[in-house]
Amino acid sequence: MDDRRHNRKVGILDEEGMELKDQVISIRRVTKVVKGGKNLSFSALVAVGDERGRVGIGKGKAREVPMAIAKGVEAARKSMIRVPLADTTIPHLVKGIDGAGLVVLRPASKGTGVIAGGAVRVIMQLAGIRDILTKSIRSNNPISVANATLDALRRIRNPEDVARMRGKARGAL
């Protein structure tokens, strides 16, 4: 039996020992003009999630692409949020806004799949949402769209929490 197979890296682990998956949303080449010429660096937008309701995004910038991605992954791990899920979708329709980016997330019936594009699709898959309808309006900048998507996910409320805030029992709704 080959000994190298047992020493494989298992992805990133969070503080509870859960395996996190990361995916690059976009990489940009950034040039800064200075007195001596041009400084070239790379900016990476990365999403991290455990596919069980936790997801985060982060930006990293460095002279090389792998270093920019590593910095983005670290920033994404620090900014992770918990998303309330209703089976394989979200409990209710929600809108998220960031700058010019506007994202609408609509729950979908089982078997629909992730109907989304670009940054929204990556974030939904890493959050563990399997059935959802989304629409990205106004901006198509991946950073604005990703931030608007995370804003929408932050706005989702659990039906139990809303019932408790209203002072009603879950069965009375």
Side-chain angles (χ1 to χ4, degrees), residues 30-136:
V30 182
T31 309
K32 180 181 177 186
V33 179
V34 293
K35 187 178 177 183
K38 295 178 180 176
N39 281 348
L40 182 77
S41 63
F42 293 92
S43 173
L45 179 65
V46 183
V48 170
D50 64 356
E51 294 181 342
R52 291 189 190 100
R54 289 179 59 220
V55 68
I57 59 169
K59 289 181 277 190
K61 191 173 172 186
R63 296 259 176 161
E64 292 98 27
V65 174
M67 281 298 298
I69 292 171
K71 286 182 181 181
V73 166
E74 197 57 41
R77 282 182 61 199
K78 290 177 183 175
S79 73
M80 287 185 79
I81 62 166
R82 182 159 295 285
V83 181
L85 299 176
D87 198 19
T88 60
T89 188
I90 56 175
H92 58 86
L93 183 136
V94 66
K95 293 179 184 177
I97 300 172
D98 179 74
L102 171 64
V103 173
V104 179
L105 306 179
R106 188 183 305 259
S109 57
K110 205 173 191 88
T112 304
V114 178
I115 311 297
V120 183
R121 172 178 288 276
V122 170
I123 293 170
M124 293 299 126
Q125 289 173 339
L126 289 174
I129 299 170
R130 303 272 175 258
D131 303 303
I132 192 162
L133 302 166
T134 70
K135 183 65 183 167
S136 177

Side-chain angles (χ1 to χ4, degrees), residues 159-160 162-163 166 168-173:
E160 291 82 19
V162 174
R166 293 178 183 171
K168 296 180 180 179
R170 178 71 175 126
L173 289 178

